[in-house]
Amino acid sequence: MRKLFKQVKWEIIVTSLLYMILGIVTVAIPETMVRTLGYLVGILLILAGAVSMICYLLREAIQNYYRNDFGYGLVGIAVGILFLYKVEWITALIPVILGILVLASGCCKLQHVIDMKRIGFGNWGAVLALAVVNVIFGVVLIANPFETVLLLFQLVGAGLIFSGITDGITAFYVGGRLTESLDKV
């Protein structure tokens, strides 16, 4: 059991470090980050479309009946090319997607708070405050009330940094408390 808790703790720490690194890069060079992510999405759509079409062509005709892999592949390639051609369009979606990630992280923290309360750990209020701020920040990012995408991207980066820091703090605090509880058992 101790090994499992240690593994989960380190997975959370690595994830929180990745959030912080992505957040720092996003804050430092938001315009480059916006365009890079837009191009990556376009390339991924083209690749996924090509794979879908290739799989369709490699299968026997009877296996393809009522499968729309060829059509989905064509649409994927067309949308991918559109994203590469009009990368600005995707910039409107990326902050919302990242906001959903920050919101999900906050919701997971809310679950940690509930677990801490049910197990009887003290000081769960501090983690609750962090979780609420995390959820609010995610909702604000999704609502996209800001005029410019670059400013929004810098705020997304700040949210990712905040989320990474709070994930790390939560992992160390909960991990330490769980280790203490296991030592008592």
Side-chain angles (χ1 to χ4, degrees):
M1 189 70 148
R2 180 184 296 268
K3 185 178 177 182
L4 175 66
F5 286 137
K6 205 174 235 187
Q7 179 184 358
V8 169
K9 178 182 172 183
W10 283 108
E11 287 174 4
I12 292 171
I13 291 169
V14 168
T15 302
S16 68
L17 287 173
L18 291 174
Y19 270 13
M20 287 187 281
I21 291 168
L22 182 61
I24 290 168
V25 170
T26 303
V27 168
I29 49 173
E31 188 173 319
T32 303
M33 197 64 176
V34 167
R35 294 189 88 58
T36 301
L37 286 175
Y39 290 134
L40 283 174
V41 168
I43 290 168
L44 287 174
L45 284 169
I46 290 169
L47 289 174
V51 166
S52 184
M53 290 175 69
I54 290 168
C55 288
Y56 171 83
L57 293 171
L58 292 176
R59 279 193 302 267
E60 295 291 326
I62 194 74
Q63 291 175 328
N64 285 328
Y65 195 68
Y66 275 114
R67 293 185 72 150
N68 297 317
D69 294 342
F70 192 83
Y72 291 144
L74 282 176
V75 170
I77 290 171
V79 172
I81 290 170
L82 182 65
F83 278 13
L84 293 178
Y85 182 67
K86 292 287 189 180
V87 74
E88 299 82 27
W89 291 2
I90 193 66
T91 60
L93 293 176
I94 292 172
V96 173
I97 292 167
L98 292 176
I100 290 169
L101 291 174
V102 171
L103 177 64
S105 174
C107 290
C108 288
K109 281 182 202 59
L110 287 174
Q111 180 179 334
H112 293 309
V113 168
I114 293 168
D115 292 341
M116 290 171 68
K117 177 86 169 116
R118 291 175 65 198
I119 294 171
F121 289 166
N123 203 13
W124 54 267
V127 178
L128 175 63
L130 294 173
V132 168
V133 170
N134 214 160
V135 167
I136 291 170
F137 200 75
V139 168
V140 168
L141 290 173
I142 292 168
N144 193 10
F146 306 102
E147 302 258 330
T148 67
V149 173
L150 296 181
L151 175 62
L152 181 59
F153 242 72
Q154 288 178 320
L155 290 174
V156 166
L160 289 169
I161 294 168
F162 178 80
S163 185
I165 290 169
T166 58
D167 285 352
I169 291 169
T170 302
F172 279 113
Y173 179 74
V174 172
R177 298 292 284 183
L178 285 173
T179 303
E180 290 174 15
S181 295
L182 288 175
D183 289 340
K184 292 177 184 178
V185 175

